[in-house]
C-alpha cells in the first residue's frame, strides 16, 4: 500500500471532489456508470454500477473492456460488495473498482484488501484518518485481492 | 498450547491501538453510537441493561495459568470481582466502563488474549472439545485446526460484514462434547481411507428461533484445502444469505431454503473458482500446519506414573472422582472437571479468588492448562492420578468441588433478564431454584445424566433446544413465563427438544421439572437408562400426562 490517496476528479463536474479517494495512477474514466441491466443492452459501455444484490459474475465475459466498476454499499452493514470485489479481482479484472455509498473510514482497509481502489463515500472521509486506518495493521493473516503477503508466507518464506 | 509469535502479537497490539482510537472518538462525540456500535461489537463490547458487557475470547476454550490470572485481575480491577464463563467457552464481564475498555484490552494483550470478533456479524471465536489433547477417542488434536481457522478468520476482509454472526466448532472424536452440529459450520477431524487427516464439514446448524441440526455438506476436505473450502462456504453465504430479516439471516436458513444439495453445488462451484484463481486457493503450506501442530504436542507425561491410583479413603472424594473425573489417554493421568455449578450459585460464574486458585492448580498439576467447557465448567486436562486427592482438597476448600458433572444440577443458563437487554425472562434464578430442589446428591446421582439448559429468550444462548430438559423464558402479556422442552441433545446424537405444552410461571416451572424427572424414574427401564433414552423410547405422551395430569 505504497500509493498515496489522491483526491479524485468528479467525472460529472470536472471539479476535484473532496469526497473521493483514489488509489490508481491512471486517469479516471469520464463515462457515467450504467446499471447492470442497461449494461447488458448497451454493449459499448465501459463503466458499470452494481447494486449490492447484483451478481458480479454477470460481468466476467466483459472484463477486458471495462474501465470502471462501481459497487454500491447501501449501508455499511451490507457486506455483499466485498465478495463482488473479490470475485472480479479473482477473475482478473484490472480496471477501477470503486466502492460507493455508505463507505466509512473504518471499512476502508477491508475494502482495499478485497480489491477496491477508489472510493466515493456519501459523507467525506478525512484523508489523514484514511491513511491511519489503511496502515493500522502491520500484516494480514490471509491472502486477498490486494497482494498483501499473508503472515504464513512471511513465517515460511 | 499455542503461543503467539511476533506476528500474532503485533496484530493484537494493532487492534488494541485501533480500538483505543475508536473509543476516544466515541467519547469525544466524533462517532455516533450507531457508527460506534459495529466497531465496539467487533471488540466484544455490548451495551447491556445496566452497563457495558465485555466478552473476552478464549480460543477453543484453552487457557494458561497466566491467562487465567489475568482474567482474575480484570474481574478484580474493572468488574465486581467476578467473571462469567459462557456457552461459547468465552468469559464475560458484566460491569465494564467504556473509559476502561481500551486499557482492559491492552492488559489482556500482554498475555496473548483479546476480544476480537467475540460479537458482531463476523466469524466468532472458534469452539472445540474441552478434552482436546487428553481424550482417548480423538484422532488428532482438533485445536491445531481451530488455531488455523482462528488466524484465517481474524480480520477477514471479506467476511466481517456477514448477514449475521457466524460460529464454527471443531471436534476430532466421535463423542461430540462441543455441540458441533448446532454451529453455523461444524467440523469433525477424521482420517480418510488413505490415512490422511481432513475434516467432515457440516453447515447450517444452529439454535435461536429456528433451531436446526446441520446437514453434512462434504465428507472430507483435506488439510491442504480446508481454508479454501471454508472461504467458499462463507462466500456463498455472504452473497446470498438473507439480509432483509434478522431472524432469517443465519446460514441455516440459506442452507435450508436452498436445500443441502443446492448449497453444496454452489460451494463446490465457488471452491473450484478459488482453486483456479492465481495462487490456487488460500491455504497455507504444510509447514504452517506443522508449526501450529508443534505447539499442541503432548506435554512431557511421566511414564513412571502409569500404575498410579488415587487413595480412595475419603468418601466425598470418591463421589467427586466418580462424577467429575474422566479417563485420560495417558496412563496415570486423568481429566478433572471443576464444576462452576454449586447449588444456589450462578452457573458459569467464578470469583477472582477462584480464578487465581485454578491458575495455580493448573500450573502445578496440569501442565499449565485450563479448559472452558460449553457447559460453563472448567477442566484441568492433564492431572496425574497421584495428585487428584490433593487437587480435590484444594478445590473443596474454595467451594469448587461440587460433584455434579452432567447431573441435574449441572445446569446451563444464559444471563437472562438479570443482565441481558434482549431477555424476556430471568434464567439464573430458575437454575438456582431447580438446583436447590434437587440438592440431595444421592437423588442427583440416582437420576444420572440429565442436562437442563435454560435461555431467557428465543436467541437460545442457554442452548435450551439442546437440553434433555430445556427451558425457554418468554414474555406473556408482560409476565415472565417459561416453556418446557424435552428430548434435545447437543451431543453426537444431536436432536432438538419439543415443547411439552402450555408454559409455567417461575414456581410452576420448577414443579414441572420435578414432575418430569419423577415420571422418568417411574418410566425408565432400569437405573442405567438415561433420561434422554427413556424419553426417546416412550415419547412425549407419558411425560405430558405427568406434567399436566
Ligand atoms: S438467550 Fe436471550 S436472554 Fe439469554 S443471553 Fe441470549 S439474548 Fe440474552
Amino acid at each position: 500500500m505504497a500509493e498515496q490517496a489522491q483526491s479524485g476528479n468528479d467525472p460529472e463536474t470536472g471539479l476535484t471532489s473532496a469526497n473521493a479517494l483514489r488509489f490508481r495512477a491512471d486517469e479516471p474514466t469520464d463515462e457515467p456508470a450504467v446499471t447492470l441491466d442497461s449494461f447488458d443492452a448497451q454493449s459499448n459501455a465501459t463503466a458499470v454500477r452494481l447494486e449490492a444484490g447484483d451478481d458480479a459474475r454477470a460481468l466476467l465475459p466483459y472484463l477486458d473492456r471495462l474501465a470502471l466498476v462501481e459497487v454500491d454499499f447501501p449501508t455499511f452493514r451490507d457486506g455483499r460488495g466485498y465478495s463482488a470485489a473479490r470475485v472480479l479481482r479473482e477473475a482478473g479484472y484490472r480496471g477501477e473498482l470503486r466502492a460507493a455509498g455508505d463507505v466509512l473510514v473504518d471499512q476502508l482497509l477491508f475494502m482495499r484488501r478485497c480489491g477496491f481502489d477508489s472510493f466515493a463515500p456519501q459523507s467525506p472521509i478525512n484523508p489523514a484518518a484514511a491513511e491511519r486506518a489503511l496502515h493500522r495493521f502491520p500484516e494480514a493473516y490471509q491472502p486477498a485481492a490486494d497482494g498483501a503477503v499473508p503472515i504464513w508466507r512471511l513465517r515460511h518464506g | 498450547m499455542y503461543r503467539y509469535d511476533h506476528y500474532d502479537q503485533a496484530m493484537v497490539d494493532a487492534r488494541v491501538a485501533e480500538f483505543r482510537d475508536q473509543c476516544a472518538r466515541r467519547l469525544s462525540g466524533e462517532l455516533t453510537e450507531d457508527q460506534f456500535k459495529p466497531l465496539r461489537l467487533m471488540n466484544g463490547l455490548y451495551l447491556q441493561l445496566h452497563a457495558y458487557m465485555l466478552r473476552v475470547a478464549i480460543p477453543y476454550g484453552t487457557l494458561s495459568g497466566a491467562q487465567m490470572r489475568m482474567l482474575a485481575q480484570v474481574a478484580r480491577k474493572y468488574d465486581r470481582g467476578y467473571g462469567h464463563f459462557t456457552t461459547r467457552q468465552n468469559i464475560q464481564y458484566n460491569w465494564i466502563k467504556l473509559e476502561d475498555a481500551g486499557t482492559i484490552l491492552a492488559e489482556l494483550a500482554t498475555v496473548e488474549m483479546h476480544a476480537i470478533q467475540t460479537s458482531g456479524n463476523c466469524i466468532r471465536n472458534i469452539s472445540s472439545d474441552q478434552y482436546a489433547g487428553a481424550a482417548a477417542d480423538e484422532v488428532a488434536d482438533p485445536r491445531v485446526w481451530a488455531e488455523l481457522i482462528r488466524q484465517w478468520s481474524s480480520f477477514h476482509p471479506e467476511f466481517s460484514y456477514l448477514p449475521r454472526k457466524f460460529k464454527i466448532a471443531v471436534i476430532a472424536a466421535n463423542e461430540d462434547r462441543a455441540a458441533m452440529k448446532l454451529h453455523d459450520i461444524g467440523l469433525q477431524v477424521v482420517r480418510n481411507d488413505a490415512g490422511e487427516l481432513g475434516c467432515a464439514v457440516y453447515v447450517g446448524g444452529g439454535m435461536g428461533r429456528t433451531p436446526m441440526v446441520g446437514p453434512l455438506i462434504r465428507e472430507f476436505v483435506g488439510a491442504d484445502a480446508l481454508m479454501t473450502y471454508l472461504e467458499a462456504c462463507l462466500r456463498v453465504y455472504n452473497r446470498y444469505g438473507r439480509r432483509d430479516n434478522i431472524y432469517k439471516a443465519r446460514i441455516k436458513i440459506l442452507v435450508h431454503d436452498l436445500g443441502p444439495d443446492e448449497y453444496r453445488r454452489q460451494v463446490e462451484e465457488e471452491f473450484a473458482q478459488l482453486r483456479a484463481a492465481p495462487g490456487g486457493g488460500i491455504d497455507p503450506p504444510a509447514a504452517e500446519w506443522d508449526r501450529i501442530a508443534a505447539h499442541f504436542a503432548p506435554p512431557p507425561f511421566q511414564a513412571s506414573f502409569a500404575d498410579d491410583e488415587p487413595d480412595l479413603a475419603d468418601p466425598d472424594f470418591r463421589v467427586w472422582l466418580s462424577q467429575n473425573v474422566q479417563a485420560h489417554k495417558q496412563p496415570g493421568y486423568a481429566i478433572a472437571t471443576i464444576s462452576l455449578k454449586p447449588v444456589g450459585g450462578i452457573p458459569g460464574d467464578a470469583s477472582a479468588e477462584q480464578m487465581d486458585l485454578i491458575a495455580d492448580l493448573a500450573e502445578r498439576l496440569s501442565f499449565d492448562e485450563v479448559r472452558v467447557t460449553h457447559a460453563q465448567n472448567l477442566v484441568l486436562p492433564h492431572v496425574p492420578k497421584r495428585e487428584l486427592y490433593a487437587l480435590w482438597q484444594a478445590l473443596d476448600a474454595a467451594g469448587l468441588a461440587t460433584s455434579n458433572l452432567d447431573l441435574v444440577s449441572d445446569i446451563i443458563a444464559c444471563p437472562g433478564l438479570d443482565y441481558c437487554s434482549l431477555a424476556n425472562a430471568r434464567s439464573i434464578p430458575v437454575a438456582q431454584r431447580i438446583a436447590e430442589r434437587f440438592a440431595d446428591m444421592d437423588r442427583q446421582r440416582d437420576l444420572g445424566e440429565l442436562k437442563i439448559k435454560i435461555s431467557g429468550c428465543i436467541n437460545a444462548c442457554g442452548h435450551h433446544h439442546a437440553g434433555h430438559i430445556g427451558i425457554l423464558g418468554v414474555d406473556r402479556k408482560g409476565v415472565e413465563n417459561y416453556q418446557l422442552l424435552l428430548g434435545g441433545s447437543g451431543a453426537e446424537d444431536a436432536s432438538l427438544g419439543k415443547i411439552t405444552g402450555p408454559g409455567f410461571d417461575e414456581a410452576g416451572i420448577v414443579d414441572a421439572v420435578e414432575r418430569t424427572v419423577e415420571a422418568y424414574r417411574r418410566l425408565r427401564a432400569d437405573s442405567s437408562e438415561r433420561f434422554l433414552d427413556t424419553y426417546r423410547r416412550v415419547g412425549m405422551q407419558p411425560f405430558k400426562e405427568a406434567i399436566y395430569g
Side-chain angles (χ1 to χ4, degrees):
Chain A
M1 273 174 269
E3 322 98 294
Q4 294 295 304
Q6 322 153 355
S7 41
N9 291 327
D10 186 315
E12 305 263 289
T13 61
L15 295 173
T16 299
S17 153
N19 283 8
L21 288 169
R22 199 163 181 276
F23 297 83
R24 295 181 65 89
D26 58 356
E27 284 300 308
T29 176
D30 49 13
E31 232 193 275
V34 301
T35 65
L36 184 59
D37 281 350
S38 42
F39 176 78
D40 287 343
Q42 248 182 316
S43 55
N44 55 354
T46 63
V48 189
R49 176 181 164 88
L50 295 178
E51 303 304 323
D54 287 342
D55 180 6
R57 287 217 162 89
L59 294 177
L60 297 195
Y62 316 104
L63 294 186
D64 286 349
R65 63 163 223 250
L66 281 172
L68 169 68
V69 178
E70 179 172 287
V71 179
D72 182 50
F73 287 80
T75 128
F76 68 84
R77 289 185 201 85
D78 188 333
R80 287 177 285 185
Y82 296 90
S83 288
R86 286 203 63 192
V87 161
L88 292 170
R89 291 301 188 203
E90 275 161 20
Y93 175 62
R94 307 288 290 269
E96 180 168 344
L97 191 49
R98 178 190 294 161
D102 195 14
V103 173
L104 305 172
V105 67
D106 296 289
Q107 280 88 50
L108 286 183
L109 173 62
F110 288 167
M111 288 181 171
R112 289 285 289 135
R113 295 218 62 217
C114 286
F116 287 106
D117 53 14
S118 78
F119 301 91
Q122 223 157 259
S123 327
I125 291 178
N126 173 333
E131 276 300 299
R132 272 204 308 280
L134 287 171
H135 297 97
R136 176 73 74 188
F137 288 93
E139 313 292 348
Y141 273 117
Q142 56 299 88
D146 60 344
V149 179
I151 286 173
W152 51 254
R153 188 167 295 142
L154 297 172
R155 281 175 178 142
H156 301 286
Chain B
M1 57 186 278
Y2 188 73
R3 300 304 309 260
Y4 284 4
D5 65 3
H6 67 278
Y7 293 112
D8 296 307
Q9 190 67 51
M11 292 299 279
V12 169
D13 291 345
R15 177 56 157 236
V16 171
E18 178 188 48
F19 189 56
R20 271 188 193 279
D21 176 53
Q22 290 164 344
C23 287
R25 282 154 63 208
R26 174 68 193 117
L27 286 165
S28 76
E30 184 188 331
L31 286 177
T32 65
E33 170 56 22
D34 195 46
Q35 290 166 336
F36 181 57
K37 187 177 170 187
L39 307 175
R40 65 170 164 76
L41 287 181
M42 294 259 177
N43 290 283
L45 196 63
Y46 281 80
L47 192 53
Q48 292 289 47
L49 281 179
H50 315 291
Y52 281 101
M53 178 270 276
L54 179 68
R55 180 182 296 150
V56 177
I58 301 176
Y60 32 90
T62 294
L63 286 168
S64 69
Q67 291 175 325
M68 183 63 106
R69 217 170 271 118
M70 176 58 76
L71 296 180
Q73 180 181 312
V74 171
R76 204 177 282 120
K77 270 170 77 175
Y78 303 105
D79 200 284
R80 297 184 174 177
Y82 280 86
H84 177 77
F85 290 96
T86 76
T87 54
R88 290 282 305 154
Q89 299 175 294
N90 292 321
I91 187 168
Q92 294 179 179
Y93 297 101
N94 284 313
W95 303 96
I96 295 299
K97 294 193 193 68
L98 180 57
E99 302 86 279
D100 292 334
T103 307
I104 297 173
L105 293 187
E107 289 182 17
L108 288 166
T110 64
V111 292
E112 306 177 8
M113 295 192 81
H114 59 74
I116 295 163
Q117 292 170 212
T118 58
S119 51
N121 291 337
C122 52
I123 302 170
R124 300 290 188 88
N125 184 34
I126 314 302
S127 55
S128 188
D129 184 344
Q130 68 266 21
Y131 297 164
D137 59 347
E138 69 184 13
V139 300
D141 193 323
R143 295 173 300 167
V144 180
W145 308 75
E147 174 58 27
L148 261 179
I149 297 168
R150 182 191 75 81
Q151 296 192 24
W152 160 76
S153 63
S154 290
F155 316 110
H156 198 294
E158 188 178 346
F159 305 135
S160 290
Y161 295 91
L162 294 167
R164 202 76 176 83
K165 58 190 168 184
F166 204 91
K167 300 176 180 179
I168 301 177
V170 191
I171 65 170
N174 282 329
E175 193 176 323
D176 180 3
R177 292 170 283 257
M180 176 271 286
K181 287 180 193 167
L182 296 172
H183 283 73
D184 295 288
I185 291 184
L187 300 172
Q188 181 174 356
V189 180
V190 291
R191 276 190 197 282
N192 67 6
D193 295 340
E196 299 154 340
L197 284 174
C199 285
V201 184
Y202 297 80
V203 186
M207 304 209 221
R209 185 169 297 241
T210 319
M212 293 188 191
V213 175
L216 180 67
I217 296 298
R218 206 176 209 261
E219 263 175 46
F220 188 84
V221 187
D224 57 347
L226 183 66
M227 299 305 125
T228 306
Y229 192 77
L230 293 178
E231 189 114 324
C233 290
L234 266 294
R235 183 174 290 171
V236 172
Y237 170 54
N238 191 43
R239 299 185 80 203
Y240 299 112
R242 285 183 62 172
R243 292 174 185 266
D244 59 328
N245 180 340
I246 188 173
Y247 298 116
K248 297 189 187 296
R250 295 289 288 269
I251 195 174
K252 63 192 170 187
I253 303 292
L254 177 70
V255 173
H256 179 262
D257 288 355
L258 290 175
D261 291 337
E262 174 59 16
Y263 174 74
R264 178 183 304 116
R265 190 193 64 73
Q266 293 191 16
V267 169
E268 290 294 333
E269 207 174 280
E270 199 65 61
F271 184 50
Q273 303 260 16
L274 281 163
R275 300 201 91 180
I282 59 148
D283 277 274
E288 176 64 358
W289 202 94
D290 294 341
R291 184 189 74 88
I292 294 174
H295 285 276
F296 294 101
F301 294 119
Q302 293 287 332
S304 62
F305 291 179
D307 298 325
D308 286 356
E309 285 304 331
D311 175 359
L312 299 176
D314 187 325
D316 290 340
F317 170 63
R318 280 206 306 273
V319 172
W320 181 78
L321 191 69
S322 70
Q323 201 59 50
N324 286 33
V325 177
Q326 311 285 318
H328 197 285
K329 66 176 166 195
Q330 177 72 23
Y333 289 79
I335 305 169
T337 296
I338 301 170
S339 170
L340 296 181
K341 318 289 178 66
V343 169
I346 297 175
D349 268 20
S351 69
E353 294 69 35
Q354 289 176 328
M355 288 189 247
D356 278 338
L357 173 75
I358 292 165
D360 291 345
L361 293 170
E363 285 170 350
R364 274 186 19 234
L365 304 177
S366 185
F367 294 103
D368 199 18
E369 276 197 46
V370 189
R371 308 289 173 76
V372 183
T373 84
H374 85 274
Q376 304 178 282
N377 291 316
L378 299 175
V379 167
L380 296 180
H382 309 300
V383 183
K385 285 185 176 173
R386 60 168 63 181
E387 302 286 358
L388 281 169
Y389 185 62
L391 170 64
W392 174 79
Q393 286 181 306
L395 292 174
D396 194 37
L400 288 167
T402 312
S403 303
N404 62 350
L405 178 64
D406 292 339
L407 298 181
V408 64
S409 64
D410 184 9
I411 299 170
I412 291 180
C414 79
L417 198 52
D418 291 296
Y419 296 101
C420 176
S421 53
L422 301 171
N424 287 324
R426 289 165 303 154
S427 311
I428 293 166
V430 174
Q432 289 168 323
R433 296 299 90 75
I434 293 172
E436 283 159 6
R437 181 71 61 94
F438 293 95
D440 181 72
M441 252 348 274
D442 291 337
R443 186 178 183 195
Q444 289 197 39
R445 284 169 62 77
D446 170 65
L447 294 170
E449 182 185 304
L450 211 179
K451 299 184 183 180
I452 298 184
K453 307 188 181 187
I454 309 174
S455 303
C457 83
I458 194 74
N459 286 331
C461 305
H463 295 186
H464 64 276
H465 300 293
H468 298 177
I469 296 179
I471 296 173
L472 168 63
V474 294
D475 176 284
R476 203 156 146 266
K477 302 194 186 100
V479 180
E480 291 166 80
N481 191 267
Y482 296 92
Q483 291 181 345
L484 185 63
L485 295 87
L486 302 181
S489 168
E492 57 284 358
D493 57 354
S495 60
L496 301 168
K498 289 203 176 62
I499 296 178
T500 55
F504 305 88
D505 64 11
E506 186 184 326
I509 188 70
V510 180
D511 292 338
V513 167
E514 187 165 35
R515 285 199 291 276
T516 304
V517 167
E518 285 308 315
Y520 152 68
R521 265 165 37 83
R522 288 194 303 277
L523 292 161
R524 65 184 172 186
D526 58 54
S527 62
S528 72
E529 189 180 60
R530 298 180 307 162
F531 173 88
L532 183 63
D533 298 322
T534 302
Y535 172 84
R536 285 177 175 168
R537 182 171 55 78
V538 305
M540 177 67 93
Q541 197 50 38
F543 286 99
K544 259 189 162 164
E545 284 162 16
I547 296 164
Y548 298 100

